[in-house]
Amino acid sequence: MPATSSSDAPPLLGAGGGDDPTTSAAADDDDRVFLVLHRWWREAQGGAGIDAQGVPYAAAPSGPTSYGMKVLSMFISDQAFTLRRADDLLLQPDASGRSYALVAADLFARARDWHTDSGKNGGKKSLITEEGSVNIYPIMLRVSVTRGTNALTVKINKKDNSSENFKRANKILTADSEPVHIWDFSGRTTFILMNEWNRMPQDNRSSDQEMPLEIHFYDLSEPMANGADGKKDELSRTMSNGSIMGVDLDSSSGSSKQVGSGLIGLDNLGNTCFMNSAVQCLAHTSKLVDYFLGDFYKEINPHNPLGMKGELAYAFGDLLRKLWAMDRAPVAPHQFKGRLARFAPQFSGFNQHDSQELLAFLLDGLHEDLNRVKRKPYSEAKDSDGRPDEEVADEYWGNHLARNDSIIVDICQGQYKSTLVCPICRKVSVTFDPFMYLSLPLPSTTMRTMTITVFSMDGTAGPSPYTVSVPKSGDTKTLINALSNACSLRGDERLLVAEVYNCSLIRYLEEPSEVISLIRDGDRLVAYRLPKDSEDAPIVVFRNQRMESTLTSFGRKSWKTFGTPLVSTLPDTINGSTISDLFQKVLTPFRVAKDDISDADHIISKSSSVDKTADVDTNSDAAESTSINNNACEDEMTSENGMQFYLTNEKFPDQRMKIEMDQPIKLVGSQKRLHVVVCWQDNGLEQYNFGSLDSLPEIYKAALFSRRPQDTCSLYACLEAFLKEEPLGPEDMWYCPRCKEHRQASKKLDLWRLPEILIIHLKRFSYSRYTKNKLETFVDFPVHDLDLSQYIGNRGQQMSNHYQLYAISNHYGSMGGGHYTAYVYHEGKKGWYDFDDRHVGPVSEDSIKTSAAYVLFYRRIQNDDSRLDTET
């Protein structure tokens, strides 16, 4: 955390806190200070010839020292200690007691290098010969000086440190059975004292002004565990790479670090189960844990503008070390959550979040903090231009690695092939992009159920609703094909699909590439079976009207449209009789059978009172000027006639003109549709049953309070849904370099290069403008052998395409709430464990497959590996 100091003082903490102090270039800019054992430091001083003078201090608790106060201090968040000059130690540097040295980063680097070289070269035995057996812990102190004294007051606050580091700091400074001495070789205490002495007497700043000082405790106190056979046998239950989640065995000496079982829970800090679940899955990713239990800090990239100065990597590494410590007590990840919230404010506070979103940020953040590339070269993506896929893929991958090189890339990143095809010019664009994880849709999220009413226009059958399942990202052509199969469309028929609103056809789905995602569940669609050979022929659209009175009309009736419009194709020659015959044909399924009524009784009377040679232009102004008002046609119809036809203008449906039987009707120009209104009287309506025209179903209507049977699918089905070809959405149009326009291209994905650790995210949460939903689909996923061989586009790849499951992040409950847990396979214990926040316990393999599975973690099975032991 950054330091604050007086305006004339340099910062106490370095901005480059993530540099490796063992490198001279890093040490020059590194202003950290390290607390080490004084004897370890004196050995290095003598061996490496380090000329530095230290100032000795004696540490003592600040305040009462009675036993009762000591017990009470255990429950106080702040601990205070006093450091007083102890110049007598200059004469007796080896005086009894616990003694530490405070050294700057450059001196610390020289001392550690000497110890490392001494151990490797077999020289004088040093306190430590195996660098990996120590830990570095950051401890935040607050230092103040009481004016007029040479004593320093050091405060340790729980808010500034994790609970473990708070305990470590108190243990260092507490003088229980022997005195504690601090030798300052860094000059920091002298600087703090001089800063206090230089203050003017009239300075209004309060005395005891606190200055933050972060020290890095180089812990050499963890003993090496010598290899008794029994201890080594316990540790020999290793993974294929010869380690237990990061603990390498030394076959020559039989020694190893003391590392716990990894079965340690995480405290829930308040809706942090999402974080705990994701962390536990990563904490049992073998290569990742091996890395962070080693000297990962050597690869910290503090100057990466996309990174977090190494702070996220340090916090995550510290958390993993705690989870693999010998102590079995649950860990409270305060420090890790604090660093997370600092760089990703969306995870601050105590709201519930998505474990996959956290995982995506964490992996990306760790990659940037640990990116080995210090200066990223510029590279321009080139089009494939017909080159072999292998050549293009290697070029893209090489460009990617030139800018991104970290442990995360090494084990978690793969590559897929993306193919775009322009629907107009058929231009093909092939690119190869990296991926960190695969987000797979569930089949129930990629398909939608649509109900459409089909009308038979040859008079053989009434309207019938059909329900079909089509891809959500599909087009009109896909919908019509599915509907044609559902209604058993004959080879000589075609379907005309239209949307109905307010008893009118408001649009026709005639463009094959039009996406159906624009059709809402509450819309109503109809499809008319028409002759296939009349595809270019014009059609006639019949709308029915009857006299009705409304509450606001004060008993006066007017013509109101009812029912679904009916459609028929038009012949070359059209007159009033043609219109009547076509309408009579499509009405056949709705007719009420009565023996005493002949067909002529309910057919429109044929009048010859108009000029039989006059053509009717249905779009002309004359038609509008001669139109009749709504109530006039009531007077022109007699009770024997049952109905009367009127031509209407599509743009002005309320303006219409009466059709006589022998009156020729002529379509003008490219007119494709003739609109006819049929006015019914009550005696005509009695002859027909139009109930099915008034009850058109919606596209989809969810039944209230109904519990659907649980959907099931396989993980392979999810993968196939992810890889299948589909058109881009209207908001994701692709710019075609040949057409020079944005096109709704088709896109096809193929897996090309698979990572060692394959993370699969099941997209259970769906979002729309108005709703949020979680899918409880049960996904049947392989545990021992996920075979991806048939999905790999790179057939020349030599790596294994088989994977075994080792961790699952689960989500139980509904959207916006619920609870996260993790299932983890433990290599050492050869069994599965349930990590539910701080609670950890075994679980049978038969129980890990549930509808709560959200993120799956697989590791590659090497060609010489055996499958997971099924005798769990």
Side-chain angles (χ1 to χ4, degrees), residues 612-659:
K612 298 180 181 180
T613 62
D615 292 341
V616 177
D617 183 349
T618 60
N619 288 327
S620 66
D621 293 335
E624 297 177 14
S625 62
T626 58
S627 63
I628 59 176
N629 67 44
N630 286 341
N631 295 324
C633 61
E634 180 183 9
D635 300 331
E636 294 185 14
M637 295 178 61
T638 63
S639 58
E640 296 92 21
N641 294 330
M643 54 187 164
Q644 176 63 56
F645 298 108
Y646 294 89
L647 281 177
T648 65
N649 188 308
E650 186 174 8
K651 297 180 180 179
F652 306 98
D654 290 335
Q655 296 178 342
R656 52 194 180 182
M657 185 172 63
K658 183 178 179 181
I659 300 176

Side-chain angles (χ1 to χ4, degrees), residues 533-553:
D533 57 3
S534 63
E535 193 164 354
D536 295 329
I539 62 172
V540 56
V541 180
F542 297 101
R543 285 193 305 131
N544 296 294
Q545 290 189 346
R546 59 189 170 199
M547 294 295 295
E548 292 182 359
S549 59
T550 61
L551 294 176
T552 59
S553 61

Side-chain angles (χ1 to χ4, degrees), residues 20 47 163 165-166 219 441 518 694 790:
D20 180 6
S163 59
N165 288 350
F166 179 79
D219 188 3
L518 300 177
D694 290 321
Q790 63 175 318

Side-chain angles (χ1 to χ4, degrees), residues 160-192:
D160 296 334
N161 300 277
S162 67
S163 59
E164 291 298 322
N165 288 350
F166 179 79
K167 294 177 183 177
R168 289 188 181 98
N170 281 303
K171 184 177 180 181
I172 291 170
L173 295 174
T174 299
D176 290 332
S177 59
E178 52 185 347
V180 175
H181 302 139
I182 305 291
W183 290 74
D184 181 17
F185 291 86
S186 68
R188 294 305 171 90
T189 58
T190 301
F191 167 79
I192 295 174

Side-chain angles (χ1 to χ4, degrees), residues 103-368:
V103 297
D106 56 340
L107 298 181
F108 170 76
R110 291 175 61 186
R112 195 171 68 165
D113 287 345
W114 179 86
H115 278 285
T116 302
D117 293 340
S118 176
K120 290 180 179 178
N121 299 330
K124 179 183 176 182
K125 177 138 180 96
S126 63
L127 287 177
I128 176 168
T129 60
E130 189 173 336
E131 194 66 28
S133 64
V134 297
N135 291 315
I136 298 179
Y137 303 101
I139 298 174
M140 175 58 69
L141 309 174
R142 297 188 178 274
V143 184
S144 61
V145 181
T146 303
R147 181 170 292 187
T149 70
N150 292 334
L152 297 169
T153 300
V154 178
K155 289 184 179 180
I156 312 168
N157 196 308
K158 280 186 177 181
K159 294 181 179 179
D160 296 334
N161 300 277
S162 67
S163 59
E164 291 298 322
N165 288 350
F166 179 79
K167 294 177 183 177
R168 289 188 181 98
N170 281 303
K171 184 177 180 181
I172 291 170
L173 295 174
T174 299
D176 290 332
S177 59
E178 52 185 347
V180 175
H181 302 139
I182 305 291
W183 290 74
D184 181 17
F185 291 86
S186 68
R188 294 305 171 90
T189 58
T190 301
F191 167 79
I192 295 174
L193 287 168
M194 292 183 63
N195 188 61
E196 173 63 26
W197 294 339
N198 290 333
R199 285 171 52 193
M200 301 298 293
Q202 64 270 23
D203 195 334
N204 292 326
R205 289 178 296 173
S206 64
S207 61
D208 302 336
Q209 180 190 11
E210 294 181 352
M211 299 181 67
L213 172 63
E214 187 174 35
I215 63 173
H216 296 264
F217 176 42
Y218 191 60
D219 188 3
L220 301 169
S221 61
E222 295 188 3
M224 302 289 290
N226 292 326
D229 292 338
K231 187 69 175 179
K232 188 169 181 178
D233 288 342
E234 179 184 351
L235 294 175
S236 64
R237 293 179 293 181
T238 65
M239 301 177 298
S240 58
N241 62 1
S243 65
I244 292 183
M245 305 301 288
V247 184
D248 293 326
L249 298 179
D250 184 350
S251 58
S252 61
S253 66
S255 64
S256 69
K257 287 176 290 187
Q258 285 191 339
V259 175
S261 64
L263 299 177
I264 298 178
L266 288 166
D267 283 337
N268 192 321
L269 307 180
N271 277 333
T272 58
C273 57
F274 73 97
M275 180 182 74
N276 295 347
S277 174
V279 167
Q280 291 290 9
C281 292
L282 292 180
H284 291 81
T285 301
S286 57
K287 290 290 183 70
L288 201 60
V289 179
D290 289 349
Y291 177 84
F292 276 98
L293 291 188
D295 294 337
F296 73 93
Y297 51 84
K298 292 182 178 180
E299 294 189 340
I300 292 289
N301 186 348
H303 306 296
N304 185 359
L306 300 179
M308 296 143 205
K309 308 299 183 184
E311 292 191 38
L312 185 63
Y314 273 122
F316 182 74
D318 180 64
L319 182 58
L320 255 62
R321 289 170 184 260
K322 293 175 183 176
L323 291 176
W324 283 93
M326 295 297 294
D327 187 3
R328 298 292 296 271
V331 176
H334 290 286
Q335 186 178 18
F336 175 74
K337 185 181 185 299
R339 290 292 189 271
L340 193 69
R342 176 181 174 185
F343 295 105
Q346 65 268 30
F347 298 120
S348 61
F350 301 99
N351 293 326
Q352 183 67 279
H353 295 282
D354 191 316
S355 68
Q356 186 272 332
E357 292 180 1
L358 169 75
L359 186 69
F361 171 81
L362 181 57
L363 289 176
D364 187 65
L366 291 175
H367 158 65
E368 296 296 352

